[in-house]
Amino acid sequence: MSGTTSPDARFQRARSREAKDRRETAILDAARELAGNGRVRDVTLTDIAAAVGLHKSAMLRYFETREEIFLRVTATEWTSWADELVTLLHRGGSRTSQDVAADLAATLARRGTFCDLLAQAPLNLERNVSVEAVRRFKLVTHEQLDRIVEAMRETLPRLTAEQGVDVIAAATAMAGAFWQIATPGPEVAELYRADPLLGHAVFDIEPRLQRMIAAMLRGFADEQA
């Protein structure tokens, strides 16, 4: 007998761990794509459910809240960023603190969704999930942070582990804040462009971020001199 299939019927039939993993991946991919088309804070659980063909209530079989979804996305973005950055830092040759600052700034500036997530994670995403979800997220970020700092210290041997952590903490915090400032809504962006007194609010993230990271690295180098 023919009939209309409900949006999540095909998901209800899948029982294996592999099938559930595929569904979770589809949900995370949809959330990432939706965020990339706008802003994380504007993407609702209903939006994500519609993108993967699920009812909103069915989403709770896979994730506690929309915040958990985006916390998972943030963790995968941390890993992706670390992969790229570590590769750059390991490319060999004589490298300076300015070179390292350039790599950090460039890899962050071209990852707009990641920058948005970096700002949203401590403000919102970690506040509506279980303690265990936060723990899993922190373990991922800690692992990636260690990878990055190790690669930085191989490139800049005089940099201490503590200094490396401070640099990455500052770089990611600034990247998150700068992205929010540099990407206002259309009406506010037009205001900035139209009023010369507000021109300072219009800036490119990468050069500003690079200057500040480079200054921080130079300061640490001076401490060790």
Side-chain angles (χ1 to χ4, degrees):
M1 184 175 71
S2 62
T4 302
T5 302
S6 64
D8 62 339
R10 59 191 172 91
F11 290 92
Q12 292 175 341
R13 288 195 293 268
R15 302 295 182 186
S16 70
R17 179 68 257 176
E18 181 182 357
K20 291 179 180 179
D21 288 344
R22 286 198 301 270
R23 294 168 200 159
E24 288 184 4
T25 298
I27 292 168
L28 295 171
D29 288 345
R32 183 183 295 104
E33 182 175 356
L34 288 166
N37 292 331
R39 289 176 175 271
V40 171
R41 68 170 178 262
D42 295 328
V43 180
T44 67
L45 192 63
T46 300
D47 295 331
I48 302 170
V52 294
L54 278 172
H55 289 305
K56 179 179 174 180
S57 59
M59 297 281 285
L60 300 180
R61 292 200 291 265
Y62 307 102
F63 295 97
E64 302 167 358
T65 59
R66 71 171 287 280
E67 286 77 15
E68 187 192 7
I69 294 172
F70 280 117
L71 204 60
R72 285 276 299 275
V73 172
T74 310
T76 61
E77 289 298 306
W78 260 98
T79 302
S80 177
W81 176 53
D83 288 344
E84 180 185 13
L85 183 56
V86 168
T87 298
L88 288 174
L89 293 171
H90 281 161
R91 64 180 180 268
S94 178
R95 309 296 306 291
T96 66
S97 60
Q98 187 67 38
D99 296 325
V100 172
D103 287 342
L104 279 164
T107 53
L108 284 168
R110 62 174 164 257
R111 294 170 176 267
T113 299
F114 183 40
C115 290
D116 191 6
L117 289 163
L118 286 171
Q120 295 298 323
L123 289 174
N124 301 304
L125 304 183
E126 296 179 19
R127 298 177 184 272
N128 192 28
V129 295
S130 67
V131 172
E132 180 57 28
V134 174
R135 178 180 179 276
R136 290 194 298 267
F137 171 67
K138 293 298 187 183
L139 288 175
V140 171
T141 59
H142 189 275
E143 178 183 1
Q144 303 313 314
L145 176 63
D146 284 348
R147 290 177 60 207
I148 294 169
V149 170
E150 181 180 359
M152 288 175 62
R153 295 187 68 204
E154 290 173 3
T155 303
L156 303 173
R158 294 170 64 184
L159 188 74
T160 68
E162 183 179 27
Q163 290 169 344
V165 170
D166 286 347
V167 169
I168 299 306
T172 52
M174 287 188 294
F178 287 170
W179 190 88
Q180 302 297 328
I181 297 168
T183 56
E187 292 182 355
V188 174
E190 180 58 32
L191 170 66
Y192 290 163
R193 287 191 292 267
D195 191 335
L197 294 177
L198 302 178
H200 66 279
V202 181
F203 65 93
D204 291 331
I205 296 173
E206 184 175 342
R208 179 173 290 186
L209 193 57
Q210 181 176 334
R211 289 193 300 271
M212 297 179 78
I213 296 170
M216 195 172 184
L217 287 170
R218 285 195 302 270
F220 284 142
D222 290 344
E223 287 181 8
Q224 301 298 323

